[in-house]
Amino acid sequence: MTRPYIVPSHSGYTAIEMVVVVSMATILIATLLVRFTPIHENIALNSTMHQLLLDIRRAQNMAVAVTRTGPVLAPARRFGMRLSSVPGSNTSYALFADGAGGTANNQYDAPGERIGSDKLLEGGIRVTSLSGGIPVLDLLFYAPEGIPVFFDGSGNPIVTNVMTIVLSSPSGARTRTITVRITGQVDAQ
């Protein structure tokens, strides 16, 4: 009796085939990542804009509610936030209660006035411009109406009906603008 001839099977891939497939996948993934960088910037920019809008509203709501701050629990009369377009300090902002850590002087100037810690703008987003080209803005809401009043970083009033805050992506290709009106309306574009 003769045995039938069985052809040996060679299943699997050669090393060269694996290298070719892995290199093609690497090139494809690298191309996709480069194309999705603008999408990531856009998501970070929108997320940061919405967080800043929420914190502006938070300061306004604290003024309307006449929130008590500090160890003495005396109500602060002004709540606000400090923003800067100066490179190096334009990637964060601070919420504060004017007068909670010292004298109420229409500016953020005492560590005791800060509410929480400084808020970092995510994903390399930065404040690139403020209305009128001012470098520092103290946006204050007065109790109990929550009406916004604008001051430069030295406590000097800025007479305007509208304040704009421009946020930019790390590449500078994308921007979002937040507008605060003297009526208390806050919107974004």
Side-chain angles (χ1 to χ4, degrees):
M1 184 169 334
T2 37
R3 291 187 178 170
Y5 179 72
I6 299 176
V7 178
S9 68
H10 297 286
S11 61
Y13 300 103
T14 65
I16 293 174
E17 290 172 328
M18 289 301 293
V19 168
V20 168
V21 169
V22 169
S23 63
M24 287 173 49
T26 303
I27 291 169
L28 181 62
I29 290 171
T31 304
L32 290 175
L33 287 177
V34 169
R35 289 181 183 245
F36 285 124
T37 299
I39 293 172
H40 173 69
E41 281 187 349
N42 205 23
I43 290 169
L45 189 57
N46 285 334
S47 175
T48 299
M49 176 189 66
H50 288 293
Q51 185 60 49
L52 187 56
L53 284 170
L54 287 172
D55 284 337
I56 290 171
R57 283 291 183 207
R58 179 179 175 206
Q60 189 176 31
N61 287 338
M62 286 190 292
V64 169
V66 192
T67 304
R68 297 182 182 276
T69 61
V72 181
L73 295 178
R77 301 289 299 158
R78 303 174 187 110
F79 291 89
M81 64 182 1
R82 171 165 279 193
L83 294 152
S84 173
S85 62
V86 177
S89 62
N90 62 346
T91 58
S92 66
Y93 59 94
L95 289 171
F96 68 97
D98 188 34
T103 307
N105 56 0
N106 302 321
Q107 64 181 352
Y108 172 63
D109 60 352
E113 291 183 342
R114 185 173 63 219
I115 299 171
S117 59
D118 287 351
K119 309 282 185 172
L120 295 175
L121 303 178
E122 69 175 70
I125 305 301
R126 60 193 188 284
V127 176
T128 51
S129 118
L130 300 165
S131 287
I134 60 168
V136 177
L137 168 67
D138 286 331
L139 169 60
L140 288 164
F141 295 95
Y142 280 67
E145 295 88 13
I147 301 297
V149 183
F150 314 114
F151 295 91
D152 66 10
S154 302
N156 301 315
I158 300 169
V159 182
T160 184
N161 291 331
V162 177
M163 178 60 64
T164 58
I165 303 160
V166 179
L167 302 173
S168 294
S169 63
S171 68
R174 291 173 171 67
T175 62
R176 296 290 182 271
T177 302
I178 296 174
T179 305
V180 182
R181 301 184 192 292
I182 196 103
T183 58
Q185 179 186 9
V186 181
D187 62 347
Q189 301 172 355

